[in-house]
């Protein structure tokens, strides 16, 4: 049995789909099994990731676990329940060792717990996700101008589909135990280049407007706690991380190249086209 946490989220949903047709049964931790839309054959089990003692039933009979970061005690509970292998989702900033950064701090803590818990482990440190572009939907409902923070920062953004494929292979390949994997997309793009690609896919003349750091901070503080805003400015203004690096991890692990941003945008064009009809 493989247990997937965050099974209805961006990464977890892709992983559940990737695993659903495999030989090993798949179980998903969700808050409300009655409302969870999961592939046929996937078992939904209720559990609260912030309360590891609620996961006893979910962990029973589980061989391997896909674990989101930021949930103290879950890796220890899993190892105690007999889970043999944990694939821990993390982030590139964990490598910096900077506990003063709020995001880095919880990524590092998650990695430390999983490597200390006694189960075999694989850590996955992806870069930014293609799906971050979905944050532009409210602006696309209002018109063809997209205002973006950090306009000069390139990212080799990754489709969650490819991240899920890497995680699925980590469960199946014993050689990936004890490894830290760094999946990225196949190209390094500026926000303006992503928006141009998206506009081409949608047949819309989209304009990218870069925000000043001052305006970006004010905008982000409307919905994000200050310690996380500070973390993002550390990443993308101070340059604490570099997500522009293109790595061959996806192809090395899965045997195929990762999807391009254009491919991701084409697959998800329906969500953006709907935004264009809401005005």
């Amino acid at each position: 049995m493989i247990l997937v946490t965050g099974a209805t989220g961006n990464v977890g949903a892709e992983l559940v789909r990737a695993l659903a047709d495999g030989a090993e049964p798949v179980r998903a931790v969700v808050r409300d099994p009655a409302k969870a839309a999961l592939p046929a054959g996937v078992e939904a089990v209720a559990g609260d990731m912030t309360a590891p003692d609620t996961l006893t039933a979910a962990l029973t009979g589980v061989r391997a676990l896909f674990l989101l970061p930021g949930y103290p005690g879950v890796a220890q509970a899993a190892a105690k329940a007999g889970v043999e292998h944990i694939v821990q989702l993390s982030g590139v900033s964990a490598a910096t060792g900077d506990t003063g950064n709020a995001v880095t701090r919880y990524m590092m803590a998650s990695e430390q717990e999983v490597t200390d818990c006694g189960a075999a482990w694989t850590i996955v440190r992806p870069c930014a996700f293609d799906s971050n572009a979905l944050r532009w939907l409210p602006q696309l409902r209002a018109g063809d101008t997209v205002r973006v923070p950090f306009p000069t920062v390139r990212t080799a953004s990754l489709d969650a589909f490819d991240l899920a494929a890497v995680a699925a292979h980590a469960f199946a390949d014993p050689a990936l135990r004890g490894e830290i994997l760094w999946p990225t997309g196949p190209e390094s793009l500026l926000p303006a280049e992503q928006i141009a690609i998206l506009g081409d896919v949608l047949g819309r003349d989209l304009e990218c407007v870069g925000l000043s750091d001052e305006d970006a901070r004010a905008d982000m503080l409307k919905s994000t706690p200050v310690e996380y805003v500070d973390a993002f400015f550390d990443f993308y203004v101070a340059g604490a991380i570099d997500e522009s690096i293109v790595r061959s991890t996806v192809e090395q692990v899965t045997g195929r190249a990762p999807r391009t941003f254009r491919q991701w945008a084409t697959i998800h064009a329906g969500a953006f086209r709907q935004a264009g009809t809401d005005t």
Side-chain angles (χ1 to χ4, degrees):
M1 176 78 70
I2 297 174
L3 180 65
V4 178
T5 65
T8 59
N10 181 38
V11 178
E14 291 284 6
L15 180 57
V16 166
R17 284 191 285 269
L19 295 171
D21 295 330
E24 199 162 9
V26 181
R27 180 182 292 161
V29 176
V30 295
R31 286 193 176 274
D32 187 349
K35 295 180 179 179
L38 298 170
V42 175
E43 177 189 0
V45 177
D48 181 354
M49 294 290 291
T50 65
D53 57 349
T54 69
L55 301 176
T56 301
L59 290 167
T60 300
V62 169
R63 176 191 71 83
L65 168 67
F66 177 75
L67 182 56
L68 298 181
Y71 293 100
V74 175
Q76 293 174 352
K80 186 176 180 180
V83 173
E84 299 172 7
H85 181 207
I86 300 174
V87 175
Q88 174 69 62
L89 182 63
S90 184
V92 298
S93 73
T96 69
D98 180 11
T99 57
N101 181 297
V103 173
T104 302
R105 184 166 58 248
Y106 82 76
M107 294 294 185
M108 289 176 60
S110 297
E111 290 190 9
Q112 188 69 52
E113 182 178 335
V114 78
T115 56
D116 288 348
C117 74
W121 52 267
T122 306
I123 292 170
V124 185
R125 292 176 178 169
C127 64
F129 295 141
D130 289 339
S131 57
N132 289 347
L134 293 170
R135 296 172 183 170
W136 301 330
L137 283 172
Q139 297 187 72
L140 292 173
R141 293 188 183 103
D144 292 330
T145 299
V146 182
R147 301 164 71 248
V148 299
F150 318 125
T152 63
V153 174
R154 291 185 174 273
T155 58
S157 62
L158 174 72
D159 191 332
F161 172 86
D162 293 312
L163 173 56
V166 169
H169 277 77
F171 286 127
D173 187 353
L176 296 177
R177 296 188 179 194
E179 294 292 326
I180 299 176
L181 306 176
W182 301 73
T184 75
E187 57 196 343
S188 181
L189 298 174
L190 293 168
E193 293 171 326
Q194 289 185 319
I195 289 167
I197 291 169
L198 182 59
D200 188 47
V201 168
L202 299 177
R204 293 175 64 178
D205 186 14
L206 301 181
E207 179 187 9
C208 176
V209 176
L211 295 173
S212 68
D213 289 344
E214 183 180 59
D215 288 343
R217 178 177 288 276
D219 202 42
M220 294 169 71
L221 285 171
K222 294 174 184 176
S223 59
T224 306
V226 64
E227 62 268 28
Y228 291 107
V229 174
D230 288 343
F232 294 135
F233 270 75
D234 182 41
F235 292 157
Y236 300 125
V237 177
I241 62 173
D242 182 359
E243 292 187 309
S244 71
I245 301 169
V246 174
R247 296 184 172 92
S248 59
T249 305
V250 172
E251 188 161 8
Q252 288 176 342
V253 172
T254 70
R256 58 163 180 77
R259 289 175 176 171
T260 64
F261 182 78
R262 180 176 291 274
Q263 288 174 303
W264 177 88
T266 300
I267 291 166
H268 296 275
F272 292 96
R273 289 199 176 99
Q274 181 62 41
T277 64
D278 288 346
T279 55

